[in-house]
Amino acid sequence: MDADLKSPKRLLRLTCSVQNYDWGLAGADSLVAKLYGLNSGKEIELDKPYAEFWMGTHGSGPSFVVKKTGAFENGAANGGCCGGETTGFKSWILKNPNVLGDKVLNNWGCDLPFLFKVLSVAKALSIQAHPDKELAKTLHKLLPNVYKDDNHKPEMALAITEFEALCGFIGLQELKSVLQNVPEIVELVGSVDANKVLQINEQDGDQKVKSVLRSLFTQLMTASKEMTTKAISKLKSRMLIESKLRPLSEKEQLVLQLERQYPADIGVISAFFFNYIKLKPGEALYLGANEPHAYISGECVECMATSDNVVRAGLTPKHRDVQTLCSMLTYKQGFPEILKGFPLSPYITRYLPPFDEFEVDCCILPKGASSVFPAVSGPSVFLVTVGEGTMHTGSHKDAVAKGDVLFAPANTEISITTTSELQLYRAGVNSRFLQTI
């Protein structure tokens, strides 16, 4: 075992990576920027977009272990500022695999099975889906520069602020209403495919409904650039005229917003096909493989399997793979499940998606309170987003503050005390997986 971890129950402080995608909030307004600045000690550019703060082992945004030196050894907060030497988190795990716990090690090998993030979203992300494991292996082999790894990417977004997203296909009756009220879509897909949807009913069977929806959506997403530009221009003009005569629906207002962000993009008009989700702080949305979605605005904590595979088809300047996206989707319809979490203790709420790789806990401690995270048989990553406090592991103490990220090895019990309000999030391996025999 690495000499830095003489006791397997010590917490490790991590410095983490940032992604400056153009959809991110500007540094002055971005939680990602604030966390990254505190975590790394680097100066933030106020006008630059800061989109994602990554905590984990993925090569596209790796974290680093800070070796304890000087003030850090005494538990100083914001270890990224303390001048300690760093080593790659993934390479450190490879030298210390026992920190993952036997069950995690046997199932996923010498790597953290989850990737933990914070997102600050100023404008819509791409219409996208994440491949399942089989498709991920194929895509990575064919286009390794686009699809960076061979893993699947189920994920969950937990709202920090009000958070908006498009997710999954609307139900059949709502889809029929769209085709009856948005003539520009019928112009793009053709009356034959549109009529197939209008004539079908749920008694025709799930597979037939999916087949018709797949054909309709593929026709839409593969429409020519010329046709798309013309249709969106007509749609925009019509809605602006109608807005003077009636209140526009929330979906119509969203479509106009997307058109301002991505003019003449097929993703603008495809928004009519998806559920419009508005999460309140503390609510979470989870997404399985091959499910279409696009985050619209707000800030969230996100957790996923360790992957960066994204198949995009609209609302993006990045590589689009429309045929792959249209062929891979499940075409399930209906409003997605919203997780509100369940209490583990008076101060800790757990969000448990149906994926083995991860779960997320939110801990909100009022001034003077304390709480305990019981030992679990898998690794955990903690992120402090508000306040200051102390994390205790046995006889060891680590002072923590906003921006600190700490790794807890398997089988580590952690107690937390605070003299101010403290808020932190924990990502760990799904407890249902860890509890199975």
Side-chain angles (χ1 to χ4, degrees):
M1 176 175 286
D2 193 293
D4 256 6
L5 199 70
K6 296 174 183 177
S7 164
K9 305 299 176 66
R10 289 294 299 266
L11 298 178
L12 289 182
R13 202 172 293 260
L14 304 178
T15 56
C16 303
S17 296
V18 73
Q19 306 287 4
N20 301 103
Y21 306 137
D22 65 355
W23 51 258
L25 281 166
D29 303 314
S30 170
L31 176 61
V32 164
K34 294 178 177 69
L35 293 173
Y36 175 67
L38 290 167
N39 177 264
S40 67
K42 295 181 180 177
E43 189 172 343
I44 297 303
E45 297 177 50
L46 298 182
D47 296 328
K48 186 175 182 178
Y50 288 80
E52 297 187 355
F53 183 58
W54 286 32
M55 298 161 280
T57 57
H58 196 281
S60 296
S63 297
F64 298 86
V65 175
V66 181
K67 296 187 178 182
K68 295 174 170 60
T69 59
F72 187 96
E73 188 67 50
N74 298 319
N78 296 121
C81 309
C82 293
E85 296 179 5
T86 62
T87 187
F89 186 28
K90 185 169 184 175
S91 63
W92 183 90
I93 288 175
L94 286 169
K95 294 177 183 177
N96 300 274
N98 57 309
V99 299
L100 299 174
D102 291 343
K103 193 155 194 178
V104 172
L105 195 58
N106 291 338
N107 200 66
W108 289 290
C110 295
D111 198 7
L112 202 65
F114 57 84
L115 176 58
F116 199 20
K117 298 182 183 179
V118 178
L119 273 59
S120 293
V121 182
K123 67 176 185 177
L125 283 67
S126 55
I127 302 289
Q128 61 182 255
H130 306 301
D132 57 30
K133 285 186 177 181
E134 184 177 353
L135 179 58
K137 289 178 180 178
T138 300
L139 293 174
H140 178 61
K141 186 175 181 179
L142 291 173
L143 292 167
N145 291 332
V146 177
Y147 302 106
K148 305 290 188 180
D149 54 75
D150 62 359
N151 199 15
H152 68 163
K153 192 187 175 189
E155 65 186 26
M156 178 174 68
L158 169 55
I160 297 173
T161 66
E162 289 189 0
F163 193 79
E164 298 184 3
L166 294 169
C167 176
F169 287 101
I170 55 178
L172 183 58
Q173 294 310 310
E174 188 177 347
L175 180 60
K176 289 182 177 182
S177 178
V178 165
L179 293 176
Q180 290 164 342
N181 293 290
V182 188
E184 297 82 7
I185 290 179
V186 179
E187 288 180 28
L188 283 173
V189 302
S191 58
V192 173
D193 272 297
N195 286 331
K196 284 180 182 178
V197 174
L198 293 173
Q199 293 165 8
I200 203 168
N201 60 65
E202 290 165 354
Q203 284 70 43
D204 288 324
D206 188 49
Q207 289 307 312
K208 185 172 182 180
V209 174
K210 286 183 178 182
S211 176
V212 170
L213 174 57
R214 175 176 175 160
S215 177
L216 183 78
F217 185 69
T218 303
Q219 282 290 105
L220 179 74
M221 298 304 290
T222 55
S224 71
K225 183 66 176 175
E226 183 182 358
M227 289 178 63
T228 300
T229 300
K230 183 179 177 181
I232 292 174
S233 178
K234 289 176 68 174
L235 173 69
K236 179 182 177 182
S237 297
R238 177 176 63 80
M239 288 199 297
L240 290 175
I241 291 169
E242 292 186 12
S243 69
K244 298 173 182 176
L245 305 173
R246 64 173 177 86
L248 295 181
S249 69
E250 286 189 333
K251 181 67 74 67
E252 288 172 325
Q253 292 176 50
L254 172 63
V255 165
L256 287 177
Q257 174 187 322
L258 295 176
E259 192 279 332
R260 290 191 295 272
Q261 295 175 359
Y262 299 94
D265 190 300
I266 192 61
V268 171
I269 207 163
S270 72
F272 281 109
F273 281 60
F274 304 121
N275 298 294
Y276 185 18
I277 314 296
K278 291 186 174 182
L279 298 180
K280 298 174 184 176
E283 293 182 333
L285 173 71
Y286 65 84
L287 300 152
N290 304 326
E291 296 295 343
H293 61 281
Y295 296 154
I296 302 299
S297 66
E299 296 185 300
C300 73
V301 164
E302 191 181 37
C303 201
M304 64 206 64
T306 301
S307 174
D308 193 28
N309 281 326
V310 182
V311 182
R312 301 178 180 88
L315 303 181
T316 181
K318 296 181 179 180
H319 175 81
R320 299 182 186 214
D321 196 345
V322 177
Q323 290 292 351
T324 297
L325 184 109
C326 291
S327 66
M328 70 189 274
L329 299 179
T330 66
Y331 292 99
K332 288 191 294 189
Q333 292 176 276
F335 205 78
E337 181 182 4
I338 305 299
L339 299 180
K340 297 182 185 296
F342 59 89
L344 281 187
S345 71
Y347 305 121
I348 301 174
T349 303
R350 173 160 292 172
Y351 299 83
L352 198 64
F355 312 123
D356 288 346
E357 286 88 347
F358 61 89
E359 65 187 16
V360 174
D361 296 337
C362 175
C363 177
I364 302 175
L365 282 176
K367 181 179 180 179
S370 62
S371 192
V372 174
F373 283 90
V376 294
S377 55
S380 301
V381 173
F382 289 85
L383 165 68
V384 181
T385 56
V386 175
E388 299 178 353
T390 305
M391 298 177 73
H392 306 259
T393 51
S395 61
H396 301 292
K397 297 180 181 180
D398 285 275
V400 294
K402 181 176 179 178
D404 282 342
V405 179
L406 297 104
F407 171 75
N411 306 307
T412 306
E413 181 180 280
I414 300 165
S415 61
I416 303 172
T417 57
T418 178
T419 54
S420 68
E421 182 187 355
L422 179 74
Q423 182 165 339
L424 58 81
Y425 294 89
R426 169 194 164 268
V429 176
N430 194 296
S431 51
R432 290 195 188 112
F433 169 82
L434 294 176
Q435 289 162 6
T436 56
I437 298 173

